Amino acid sequence: MAVLKIRTNPDPVLRRKARKIAAIDDSIRKLIDDMVETMQESYGVGLAANQVGVPLRVVVIQVPEQELLVLINPVIVETKGERMVIEGCLSVPGYQAEVPRAESVRVQARDRNGKIFRKRGTELLAQALQHEIDHLNGMLYIDYLKDKSQLRKTDSFKE
Ligand SMILES: [Zn+2]
């Protein structure tokens, strides 16, 4: 496994719509392992493949006290409610801001063996699922801000 370099805004790879994965082979499984290691090394809650320069639809999420999630070709199939949450991003280091997110989401994806599964997320998991799937669509949380003055500087940040 290897720790990968995290791309930061305004790297253009963060703005590319990531491609769907047709076949989950060893190169994809290696990418997943490297992404997990990179996320853990960075104390992130989640990481999308384009954040490490690979424009493919892969996300890893590790919410504290919960199982590690690997999502290939994830799609949000249901959202409920809305709330404002404080958010940061490994690709926008040193800042955070309040953005609107659904309270709960249901996502469908494939796991590392290609098996389709569904996962419902609330609280931080719901937020992470929305944040990471936005990445795959070339979006950053700062896109929700009407005004960049809403960004606050921070010493510590989370994905
Ligand atoms: Zn992010």
Side-chain angles (χ1 to χ4, degrees):
M1 298 215 288
V3 174
L4 306 170
K5 182 178 175 327
I6 295 179
R7 306 297 184 92
T8 55
N9 191 42
D11 191 314
V13 75
L14 296 171
R15 295 307 191 175
R16 278 178 65 181
K17 193 168 154 62
R19 290 194 313 274
K20 257 182 107 166
I21 290 174
I24 302 164
D25 56 18
D26 285 349
S27 72
I28 299 294
R29 279 186 280 267
K30 179 177 189 316
L31 171 67
I32 290 165
D33 290 341
D34 289 347
M35 285 173 62
V36 169
E37 193 175 354
T38 305
M39 170 177 69
Q40 290 170 344
E41 183 79 14
S42 316
Y43 302 102
V45 170
L47 197 65
N50 41 354
Q51 288 184 277
V52 293
V54 181
L56 293 174
R57 301 186 85 78
V58 184
V59 160
V60 296
I61 292 176
Q62 176 82 77
V63 170
E65 324 269 307
Q66 292 186 31
E67 58 172 345
L68 171 71
L69 280 179
V70 173
L71 302 108
I72 296 169
N73 301 338
V75 179
I76 293 176
V77 292
E78 184 187 284
T79 63
K80 278 193 188 146
E82 191 181 288
R83 63 186 183 131
M84 296 300 289
V85 288
I86 302 285
E87 204 155 304
C89 178
L90 294 172
S91 294
V92 189
Y95 291 92
Q96 56 180 212
E98 197 170 39
V99 295
R101 292 291 185 192
E103 275 177 354
S104 75
V105 296
R106 193 180 297 273
V107 169
Q108 179 173 303
R110 289 182 186 274
D111 67 14
R112 59 185 296 141
N113 299 311
K115 190 167 174 289
I116 291 178
F117 69 100
R118 285 194 171 199
K119 178 81 185 174
R120 182 170 169 270
T122 60
E123 300 181 357
L124 182 55
L125 179 56
Q127 185 181 352
L129 287 165
Q130 292 167 85
H131 180 112
E132 302 310 333
I133 291 171
D134 276 354
H135 271 303
L136 299 182
N137 294 323
M139 264 193 86
L140 297 172
Y141 80 90
I142 53 176
D143 300 344
Y144 292 101
L145 306 177
K146 289 184 182 69
D147 183 338
K148 294 291 177 274
S149 70
Q150 292 171 270
L151 274 176
R152 294 201 309 248
K153 277 196 182 268
T154 173
D155 294 332
S156 60
F157 59 91
K158 64 176 191 197
E159 177 74 355

